[in-house]
Amino acid sequence: MANETVVIRCRNCGTRNRIPVVKLTKGPSCGRCKEPFPSISTPSRPIMVTDSTFTAEVIESLLPVLVDCWAAWCAPCTSMSPILDDLAQTYTGRLKIAKLNVDQNPMTSSRNNVSSLPTLLFIKDGKVVDTAVGALPKMEIERHLSYFLDR
Ligand SMILES: [Zn+2]
């Protein structure tokens, strides 16, 4: 874990900075323009997001975000839950995992064309760069993550 890094794109000059995860909470700044990054929270558990917090928590997140779109009646969604808890711990500091209840947050769901459950949205710098539909084994999600986090 000590050598883990994450790529943070500077909102001021656009430079992609590779930053050691251990320095994230110590007020890092852009290597090129020296603009300090806002403090970056590094949750080790999935966070709940809603139509009203989606922009701040997901679109404007400096860390890459994996959004789990789920519903209470969806059994495959429930089976994914412990996997996402595990991943949130394993990838602390490199990835934020967010859960969106689609029944309670129809605006965000329809804006992202979520039509079957569960749907995973891989969002970096405000853009959906990958999606995965259906209940997936942990290994398969990690395969998506390895491409997603290395871009
Ligand atoms: Zn910069």
Side-chain angles (χ1 to χ4, degrees), residues 10 12-15 30 32-35:
C10 176
N12 187 46
C13 73
T15 298
C30 175
R32 183 162 175 225
C33 71
K34 309 300 177 199
E35 177 90 354

Side-chain angles (χ1 to χ4, degrees), residues 18-90:
R18 188 169 281 280
I19 297 175
V21 166
V22 291
K23 290 195 177 161
L24 278 183
T25 53
K26 296 178 180 158
S29 54
C30 175
R32 183 162 175 225
C33 71
K34 309 300 177 199
E35 177 90 354
F37 295 126
S39 74
I40 299 170
S41 71
T42 57
S44 57
R45 306 179 65 172
I47 58 164
M48 298 293 166
V49 293
T50 65
D51 279 345
S52 55
T53 63
F54 194 79
T55 297
E57 290 284 6
V58 177
I59 300 300
E60 292 173 359
S61 173
L62 288 170
L63 286 186
V65 190
L66 169 57
V67 182
D68 170 35
C69 304
W70 67 285
W73 46 264
C74 160
C77 297
T78 311
S79 75
M80 293 256 290
S81 203
I83 299 174
L84 294 169
D85 289 349
D86 272 4
L87 292 173
Q89 269 204 329
T90 308

